[in-house]
Amino acid sequence: MSTSRKSRLLLGTAAAVAAVTLSLSGCTNTGTSTDTSSPAAETQQTAKASDGPTCSLADYKGEAIDLKDAIVGFSQSEKEDNPFRIAETQSIKDEAAKIGVKKLITTNAQSTLSKQISDIQDMISQGANVLIVAPLNSDGLEPALKAARDKNIPVLTIDRKLSSGACEDYVSFLGSNFVEQGQRAADQLIEGTDGKAKVAILLGSSGNGVTTDRTKGFVDQVEAKAPDIEIVAQQTGDFARDKGQAVTEQLLQSNPEITAIYAENDEMGLGAQAAIIAAGKVPGKDIQIYSIDGTKNAVEQIVAGSYNGVIESNPRFGPLAFQTLQSFLGGDPVGQDIVIEDGEYDPDNAADKVNSAF
């Protein structure tokens, strides 16, 4: 670990101890920034260059549509009680308004697959010409996809990738490389711990492709690059802060040797932080924390010295999603897999980049 990084971690000790009361009440945001503005250039999604397979309107057998004359349906998968989902939905709404979509229908499946299927079917019955879907799981949406495909309604999936075939059951996937996110989180942890740690992994939801990929990326990278790091426990926290806290409390009791935690989203990482403090330890120092998302709450904790690293998973899909749809509906081929660039936050850059977080 660099000398500057070590000094930043030591400076955060007092801030972590001061956060005890707030953390136990579920509020772990003890960072220093309250400015909610974000530099536009740093918050926009950027697609990586790709020479992979494409999908065109002719391939999909759809019809050219002007989005200003279209009804667009957006199916959100999970209740909007975490920063990622809030930012994702707002980004879709903002961009739809910006480009002048005739009508935007939004639904929320509340983490229930059957509801997401019925939501999509209902939007089709309401005349949706185009669909943007944030899938709950990689599998299970086939009835809804078939209902759209039977009418050749273009479906753009974002955030989570489906097992179904691109340009067959849906047009394209737009989102992050989740395996790479896990690898990059491992790299942060390896550097931050000097390659020596006892690590617990807080897994996302079971049966979710994001969980599978972020786990694989992290575990494989640790095995390849850091033989002195031992993964002592893996347990599901369902991407939720309260479950992340409860699981971490259990893990610290059964594995008191834990010195680092990898959480597969920030909400679980912040829950882990509260559990670490409740156990009488200093987060960021006694037990390091690394996670994926890029929420302002987590990044502010890095600034405070109570958290160690975050790999970004940018939820601001609106501009790139509608740009992709405009290209597709205008007759231009679009990538079947559109992978976005994600940044990262660490003790060396968090203070400067905190206003880019969501």
Side-chain angles (χ1 to χ4, degrees), residues 161-174:
K161 193 170 184 178
L162 294 172
S163 300
S164 305
C167 209
E168 296 177 5
D169 302 304
Y170 62 97
V171 173
S172 301
F173 162 74
L174 170 59

Side-chain angles (χ1 to χ4, degrees), residues 6 37 52 82 105 145 160 219 226 276 304 315 354:
K6 286 181 178 177
S37 63
N82 72 66
I105 306 170
L145 296 175
R160 290 177 181 169
V219 171
I276 291 167
V354 66

Side-chain angles (χ1 to χ4, degrees), residues 1 9-10 12-13 16 189 192-193 196-202 230 232 244-245 247-263 268-291 301-302 305-309:
M1 187 191 302
L9 292 176
L10 290 172
T13 301
L189 188 147
T193 62
K196 297 179 180 179
K198 304 285 188 181
V199 180
I201 300 178
L202 299 183
E230 181 183 357
V232 299
Q245 179 172 348
V247 167
T248 303
E249 288 171 351
Q250 296 168 6
L251 290 177
L252 293 180
Q253 291 175 3
S254 58
N255 301 274
E257 74 276 17
I258 289 172
T259 58
I261 286 176
Y262 163 52
M268 291 191 297
L270 291 167
Q273 182 192 57
I276 291 167
I277 294 173
K281 296 181 180 293
V282 180
K285 184 174 182 291
D286 296 333
I287 301 177
Q288 296 190 15
I289 311 170
Y290 299 85
S291 61
Q301 290 303 298
I302 300 176
S306 304
Y307 215 94
N308 305 87

Side-chain angles (χ1 to χ4, degrees), residues 31-222:
T32 57
S33 174
T34 57
D35 183 2
T36 58
S37 63
S38 297
E42 295 183 16
T43 62
Q44 292 291 316
Q45 287 182 342
T46 302
K48 293 183 179 182
S50 172
D51 57 1
T54 61
C55 185
S56 70
L57 198 60
D59 296 330
Y60 201 74
K61 298 180 174 58
E63 296 181 4
I65 305 170
D66 184 344
L67 287 174
K68 292 184 179 181
D69 295 323
I71 298 174
V72 178
F74 172 56
S75 172
Q76 177 59 274
S77 58
E78 298 174 353
K79 57 185 177 181
E80 286 149 10
D81 64 352
N82 72 66
F84 186 96
R85 295 298 167 191
I86 293 169
E88 182 177 61
T89 297
Q90 192 60 51
S91 178
I92 297 294
K93 289 180 177 179
D94 289 347
E95 191 64 17
K98 180 179 178 181
I99 68 174
V101 167
K102 178 181 177 181
K103 181 179 181 181
L104 178 69
I105 306 170
T106 61
T107 61
N108 192 302
Q110 302 292 317
S111 300
T112 303
L113 181 60
S114 60
K115 186 176 187 308
Q116 184 160 44
I117 292 170
S118 64
D119 284 346
I120 294 170
Q121 292 170 334
D122 286 346
M123 287 191 289
I124 293 172
S125 69
Q126 292 179 57
N129 309 109
V130 182
L131 293 169
I132 301 172
V133 177
L136 180 62
N137 293 317
S138 300
D139 299 299
L141 280 179
E142 289 79 9
L145 296 175
K146 184 179 185 304
R149 199 67 185 90
D150 286 346
K151 295 189 175 184
N152 292 331
I153 297 171
V155 178
L156 178 67
T157 64
I158 62 172
D159 173 31
R160 290 177 181 169
K161 193 170 184 178
L162 294 172
S163 300
S164 305
C167 209
E168 296 177 5
D169 302 304
Y170 62 97
V171 173
S172 301
F173 162 74
L174 170 59
S176 298
N177 183 326
F178 305 117
V179 172
E180 183 180 272
Q181 288 177 338
Q183 292 170 338
R184 293 172 64 197
D187 288 338
Q188 281 192 330
L189 188 147
I190 291 167
E191 180 180 355
T193 62
D194 291 328
K196 297 179 180 179
K198 304 285 188 181
V199 180
I201 300 178
L202 299 183
L203 305 168
S205 302
S206 299
N208 190 301
V210 176
T211 298
T212 301
D213 288 351
R214 286 179 179 172
T215 304
K216 175 176 172 53
F218 182 87
V219 171
D220 288 352
Q221 193 80 338
V222 167

